Amino acid sequence: MDPSDAVVLAPAKINLVLEVGNRRPDGYHELVTVFQAVALHDRITVSDTDCHGALTVTGPQAGPMVREDFRRNLAWQAAALLADAVGLPSPGVHIHLEKHIPVAAGLGGGSSDAAAVLRLLARCWAVDDERLLWRLAAQLGSDVPFFLYGGAALGRGRGELLTSLRLPRMWVVLANPGLPSSTASVFRRFAAGDRPAAAPLGSRCERIVQILCSEGPGAVDDRLWHNDLAEAALAEVPATGLLLDVFRDLGALGTQISGSGATVFAVAADAAHAEQMSAQIAEYAAWTWWGPTIMSEGELTSGHFATGCT
Ligand code: C5P
């Protein structure tokens, strides 16, 4: 394997807005969301091996993944799917994940790792078929296609139909109460709950994109940082509510639960404000990070924006 292809950085995402509609016949919910990548990232190394392959996990957020059967890991499944699609009997690679993104936290860490492995192995195996990669990504999970492209995007369908966006760089703080949140369980709670008549699906996403691009995050009304899963995510992990309250008291320009939780993001006025909010929320959170949003993975490899701390 070409050594220059062997390391890849996989960023986390937040959902600036998440609007969820009805459950479809296939069991998924129709949604519209604004995905935004942030500089927090996992580090993935892929090397050749003589055997069928393996996956190992280290890092501050490795947690129970260290002991899990590696074949259940989405990054391994990505390698296996692509190997199968190109006619290889097995991936025949050793994938190493250095985890910095909290797991089951609404930040898309597992999805990002899977997309990064797809991209890396596609380069190594000379697979030049974007449609195939997108199809395999969507098969792996609803958020995986977004991470094939990264940056910012409007997601529709179950999250896999993407339109890329250019949004201004923002400084964000992430805080997590240290409890996992199950996406499937949060969607189940959402489906079982009462839903008041909502604005047309996607209208909030369109509005926030328009304001961010014309006036910046300071002009966004607090209620526009909206997540239809928030109530269900709060029921799943009640400790999340305190983080939202504290971020509001700390003067966040906007704060909301990311995806199905339990991570809460806060938008800061600038880097100094982000650092200050991160220091103050640490008293209430099990984990916190601050740093910028990113528009391409190139910003990570240059190390230019990797100023956050875990
Ligand atoms: O696609 P992914 O495997 O990440 O989704 C996990 C679970 O979340 C799904 O099995 C489904 O129950 C729920 N989900 C949903 N609607 C979506 C995305 C996910 O109901 N748009």
Side-chain angles (χ1 to χ4, degrees), residues 11-253:
K13 60 83 183 162
I14 53 176
N15 301 82
L16 300 183
V17 178
L18 177 53
E19 299 177 74
V20 184
N22 292 327
R23 196 163 171 268
R24 312 186 313 196
D26 66 1
Y28 287 91
H29 288 76
E30 198 65 25
L31 59 80
V32 186
T33 187
V34 179
F35 288 114
Q36 172 64 69
V38 299
L40 168 68
H41 58 272
D42 291 339
R43 185 182 177 84
I44 301 173
T45 313
V46 178
S47 43
D48 284 324
T49 159
D50 294 339
C51 59
H52 294 303
L55 178 140
T56 49
V57 191
T58 58
Q61 296 298 327
M65 281 168 90
V66 174
R67 289 180 297 280
E68 273 170 18
D69 176 0
F70 74 82
R71 289 170 203 87
R72 291 183 51 205
N73 190 291
L74 210 57
W76 177 260
Q77 287 168 15
L81 264 187
L82 188 62
D84 189 52
V86 299
L88 292 172
S90 76
V93 288
H94 175 200
I95 300 170
H96 181 73
L97 306 179
E98 189 184 293
K99 292 294 298 176
H100 297 269
I101 306 171
V103 176
L107 298 172
S111 300
S112 187
D113 295 346
V117 166
L118 276 182
R119 274 255 171 261
L120 183 60
L121 290 179
R123 269 206 309 272
C124 294
W125 296 341
V127 179
D128 186 20
D129 184 343
E130 280 299 313
R131 186 80 204 161
L132 170 71
L133 292 183
W134 178 85
R135 192 169 54 73
L136 297 182
Q139 199 176 325
L140 287 159
S142 306
D143 290 351
V144 182
F146 164 70
F147 289 107
L148 282 178
Y149 315 104
L154 193 69
R156 292 182 178 275
R158 61 183 175 98
E160 86 286 25
L161 306 175
L162 299 160
T163 310
S164 79
L165 297 170
R166 268 219 89 76
L167 297 181
R169 179 149 62 97
M170 294 184 279
W171 290 92
V172 295
V173 186
L174 307 178
N176 185 285
L179 299 164
S181 182
S182 155
T183 302
S185 168
V186 169
F187 270 103
R188 267 198 303 276
R189 284 182 193 270
F190 170 83
D194 286 336
R195 262 178 285 163
L201 206 63
S203 58
R204 289 184 169 107
C205 288
E206 277 171 34
R207 184 95 189 99
I208 205 169
V209 167
Q210 188 189 9
I211 298 172
L212 285 174
C213 292
S214 58
E215 298 171 77
V220 174
D221 185 294
D222 192 44
R223 284 162 304 179
L224 210 45
W225 305 98
H226 178 82
N227 184 345
D228 274 327
L229 293 181
E231 206 179 303
L234 282 168
E236 183 86 0
V237 183
T240 314
L242 177 65
L243 302 176
L244 287 167
D245 291 342
V246 175
F247 272 138
R248 275 191 201 104
D249 289 347
L250 293 175
L253 300 184

